[in-house]
Amino acid sequence: METGSARRPGAVLGFGLVLMLVTGTLVAGCGESGSTGASTTATTASASASATPPQDLCTRIVGHWSREVLDQNTYGDYQSMGLSNGQYEILRDVVDAARAEKKRRGAAAADELIDRRVREGCAELYRTGAPTAGPWQ
């Protein structure tokens, strides 16, 4: 008694060829038209050159979290915020000052203070293009 049907070698070979053609087409479709390894490397290098400077990134992220912390009236873990130790120190100083400013002059004044102090703090932290001291700065 037979339990299976006989396989045809041509069908298996044909299926393998079709699979190779489909895979080759998909892989070829991933690159740019007429691209070579050299142009892909050049494209990657130019994209890296236009990356956001660390000072600007610091200003954005610390400014964002400063407003969040000010509104929530609590501090979180700097690592869960994606901040370095130096950035977190800026945040704490800025939020303390912004809370006092908010009581004195209102939310708009606190928001302006956050913008100014975060920009200054991040400029100082990244004045040489990299954090100034220690592995977590």
mmCIF file with all atom_site columns, all heavy atoms in Angstrom, residues 34-46:
data_model
loop_
_atom_site.group_PDB
_atom_site.id
_atom_site.type_symbol
_atom_site.label_atom_id
_atom_site.label_alt_id
_atom_site.label_comp_id
_atom_site.label_asym_id
_atom_site.label_entity_id
_atom_site.label_seq_id
_atom_site.pdbx_PDB_ins_code
_atom_site.Cartn_x
_atom_site.Cartn_y
_atom_site.Cartn_z
_atom_site.occupancy
_atom_site.B_iso_or_equiv
_atom_site.pdbx_formal_charge
_atom_site.auth_seq_id
_atom_site.auth_comp_id
_atom_site.auth_asym_id
_atom_site.auth_atom_id
_atom_site.pdbx_PDB_model_num
ATOM 1  N N   . GLY A 1 34 ? 19.800 51.583 -10.926 1.00 0.00 ? 34 GLY A N   1
ATOM 2  C CA  . GLY A 1 34 ? 21.150 51.866 -11.377 1.00 0.00 ? 34 GLY A CA  1
ATOM 3  C C   . GLY A 1 34 ? 22.129 52.110 -10.252 1.00 0.00 ? 34 GLY A C   1
ATOM 4  O O   . GLY A 1 34 ? 23.196 52.643 -10.479 1.00 0.00 ? 34 GLY A O   1
ATOM 5  N N   . SER A 1 35 ? 21.779 51.761 -9.037  1.00 0.00 ? 35 SER A N   1
ATOM 6  C CA  . SER A 1 35 ? 22.686 52.056 -7.919  1.00 0.00 ? 35 SER A CA  1
ATOM 7  C C   . SER A 1 35 ? 23.788 51.020 -7.823  1.00 0.00 ? 35 SER A C   1
ATOM 8  O O   . SER A 1 35 ? 23.636 49.892 -8.230  1.00 0.00 ? 35 SER A O   1
ATOM 9  C CB  . SER A 1 35 ? 21.912 52.106 -6.600  1.00 0.00 ? 35 SER A CB  1
ATOM 10 O OG  . SER A 1 35 ? 21.478 50.822 -6.236  1.00 0.00 ? 35 SER A OG  1
ATOM 11 N N   . THR A 1 36 ? 24.891 51.463 -7.284  1.00 0.00 ? 36 THR A N   1
ATOM 12 C CA  . THR A 1 36 ? 26.006 50.571 -7.013  1.00 0.00 ? 36 THR A CA  1
ATOM 13 C C   . THR A 1 36 ? 26.341 50.689 -5.552  1.00 0.00 ? 36 THR A C   1
ATOM 14 O O   . THR A 1 36 ? 25.839 51.564 -4.855  1.00 0.00 ? 36 THR A O   1
ATOM 15 C CB  . THR A 1 36 ? 27.244 50.957 -7.848  1.00 0.00 ? 36 THR A CB  1
ATOM 16 O OG1 . THR A 1 36 ? 27.677 52.241 -7.417  1.00 0.00 ? 36 THR A OG1 1
ATOM 17 C CG2 . THR A 1 36 ? 26.962 50.944 -9.325  1.00 0.00 ? 36 THR A CG2 1
ATOM 18 N N   . GLY A 1 37 ? 27.213 49.855 -5.074  1.00 0.00 ? 37 GLY A N   1
ATOM 19 C CA  . GLY A 1 37 ? 27.631 49.926 -3.679  1.00 0.00 ? 37 GLY A CA  1
ATOM 20 C C   . GLY A 1 37 ? 28.233 51.280 -3.342  1.00 0.00 ? 37 GLY A C   1
ATOM 21 O O   . GLY A 1 37 ? 28.023 51.822 -2.278  1.00 0.00 ? 37 GLY A O   1
ATOM 22 N N   . ALA A 1 38 ? 28.976 51.882 -4.271  1.00 0.00 ? 38 ALA A N   1
ATOM 23 C CA  . ALA A 1 38 ? 29.628 53.161 -4.014  1.00 0.00 ? 38 ALA A CA  1
ATOM 24 C C   . ALA A 1 38 ? 28.607 54.280 -3.847  1.00 0.00 ? 38 ALA A C   1
ATOM 25 O O   . ALA A 1 38 ? 28.714 55.103 -2.952  1.00 0.00 ? 38 ALA A O   1
ATOM 26 C CB  . ALA A 1 38 ? 30.588 53.497 -5.151  1.00 0.00 ? 38 ALA A CB  1
ATOM 27 N N   . SER A 1 39 ? 27.580 54.316 -4.717  1.00 0.00 ? 39 SER A N   1
ATOM 28 C CA  . SER A 1 39 ? 26.591 55.388 -4.588  1.00 0.00 ? 39 SER A CA  1
ATOM 29 C C   . SER A 1 39 ? 25.746 55.202 -3.343  1.00 0.00 ? 39 SER A C   1
ATOM 30 O O   . SER A 1 39 ? 25.313 56.171 -2.733  1.00 0.00 ? 39 SER A O   1
ATOM 31 C CB  . SER A 1 39 ? 25.716 55.470 -5.834  1.00 0.00 ? 39 SER A CB  1
ATOM 32 O OG  . SER A 1 39 ? 24.927 54.302 -5.952  1.00 0.00 ? 39 SER A OG  1
ATOM 33 N N   . THR A 1 40 ? 25.482 53.966 -2.954  1.00 0.00 ? 40 THR A N   1
ATOM 34 C CA  . THR A 1 40 ? 24.737 53.723 -1.723  1.00 0.00 ? 40 THR A CA  1
ATOM 35 C C   . THR A 1 40 ? 25.535 54.214 -0.526  1.00 0.00 ? 40 THR A C   1
ATOM 36 O O   . THR A 1 40 ? 24.992 54.834 0.377   1.00 0.00 ? 40 THR A O   1
ATOM 37 C CB  . THR A 1 40 ? 24.424 52.211 -1.578  1.00 0.00 ? 40 THR A CB  1
ATOM 38 O OG1 . THR A 1 40 ? 23.698 51.789 -2.723  1.00 0.00 ? 40 THR A OG1 1
ATOM 39 C CG2 . THR A 1 40 ? 23.616 51.952 -0.324  1.00 0.00 ? 40 THR A CG2 1
ATOM 40 N N   . THR A 1 41 ? 26.833 53.978 -0.532  1.00 0.00 ? 41 THR A N   1
ATOM 41 C CA  . THR A 1 41 ? 27.688 54.457 0.551   1.00 0.00 ? 41 THR A CA  1
ATOM 42 C C   . THR A 1 41 ? 27.714 55.977 0.574   1.00 0.00 ? 41 THR A C   1
ATOM 43 O O   . THR A 1 41 ? 27.643 56.587 1.630   1.00 0.00 ? 41 THR A O   1
ATOM 44 C CB  . THR A 1 41 ? 29.115 53.900 0.390   1.00 0.00 ? 41 THR A CB  1
ATOM 45 O OG1 . THR A 1 41 ? 29.046 52.483 0.350   1.00 0.00 ? 41 THR A OG1 1
ATOM 46 C CG2 . THR A 1 41 ? 30.010 54.340 1.522   1.00 0.00 ? 41 THR A CG2 1
ATOM 47 N N   . ALA A 1 42 ? 27.768 56.599 -0.582  1.00 0.00 ? 42 ALA A N   1
ATOM 48 C CA  . ALA A 1 42 ? 27.771 58.059 -0.650  1.00 0.00 ? 42 ALA A CA  1
ATOM 49 C C   . ALA A 1 42 ? 26.450 58.621 -0.134  1.00 0.00 ? 42 ALA A C   1
ATOM 50 O O   . ALA A 1 42 ? 26.430 59.630 0.570   1.00 0.00 ? 42 ALA A O   1
ATOM 51 C CB  . ALA A 1 42 ? 28.007 58.515 -2.081  1.00 0.00 ? 42 ALA A CB  1
ATOM 52 N N   . THR A 1 43 ? 25.344 57.966 -0.469  1.00 0.00 ? 43 THR A N   1
ATOM 53 C CA  . THR A 1 43 ? 24.039 58.409 0.017   1.00 0.00 ? 43 THR A CA  1
ATOM 54 C C   . THR A 1 43 ? 23.972 58.306 1.528   1.00 0.00 ? 43 THR A C   1
ATOM 55 O O   . THR A 1 43 ? 23.501 59.206 2.201   1.00 0.00 ? 43 THR A O   1
ATOM 56 C CB  . THR A 1 43 ? 22.923 57.560 -0.625  1.00 0.00 ? 43 THR A CB  1
ATOM 57 O OG1 . THR A 1 43 ? 23.017 57.669 -2.031  1.00 0.00 ? 43 THR A OG1 1
ATOM 58 C CG2 . THR A 1 43 ? 21.558 58.020 -0.154  1.00 0.00 ? 43 THR A CG2 1
ATOM 59 N N   . THR A 1 44 ? 24.475 57.215 2.080   1.00 0.00 ? 44 THR A N   1
ATOM 60 C CA  . THR A 1 44 ? 24.485 57.028 3.523   1.00 0.00 ? 44 THR A CA  1
ATOM 61 C C   . THR A 1 44 ? 25.350 58.076 4.198   1.00 0.00 ? 44 THR A C   1
ATOM 62 O O   . THR A 1 44 ? 24.973 58.644 5.213   1.00 0.00 ? 44 THR A O   1
ATOM 63 C CB  . THR A 1 44 ? 24.992 55.620 3.879   1.00 0.00 ? 44 THR A CB  1
ATOM 64 O OG1 . THR A 1 44 ? 24.170 54.662 3.221   1.00 0.00 ? 44 THR A OG1 1
ATOM 65 C CG2 . THR A 1 44 ? 24.956 55.379 5.371   1.00 0.00 ? 44 THR A CG2 1
ATOM 66 N N   . ALA A 1 45 ? 26.508 58.374 3.631   1.00 0.00 ? 45 ALA A N   1
ATOM 67 C CA  . ALA A 1 45 ? 27.404 59.367 4.212   1.00 0.00 ? 45 ALA A CA  1
ATOM 68 C C   . ALA A 1 45 ? 26.768 60.750 4.202   1.00 0.00 ? 45 ALA A C   1
ATOM 69 O O   . ALA A 1 45 ? 26.863 61.492 5.176   1.00 0.00 ? 45 ALA A O   1
ATOM 70 C CB  . ALA A 1 45 ? 28.729 59.389 3.468   1.00 0.00 ? 45 ALA A CB  1
ATOM 71 N N   . SER A 1 46 ? 26.086 61.117 3.110   1.00 0.00 ? 46 SER A N   1
ATOM 72 C CA  . SER A 1 46 ? 25.466 62.440 3.061   1.00 0.00 ? 46 SER A CA  1
ATOM 73 C C   . SER A 1 46 ? 24.290 62.517 4.021   1.00 0.00 ? 46 SER A C   1
ATOM 74 O O   . SER A 1 46 ? 24.028 63.565 4.587   1.00 0.00 ? 46 SER A O   1
ATOM 75 C CB  . SER A 1 46 ? 25.033 62.789 1.643   1.00 0.00 ? 46 SER A CB  1
ATOM 76 O OG  . SER A 1 46 ? 23.979 61.949 1.232   1.00 0.00 ? 46 SER A OG  1
#
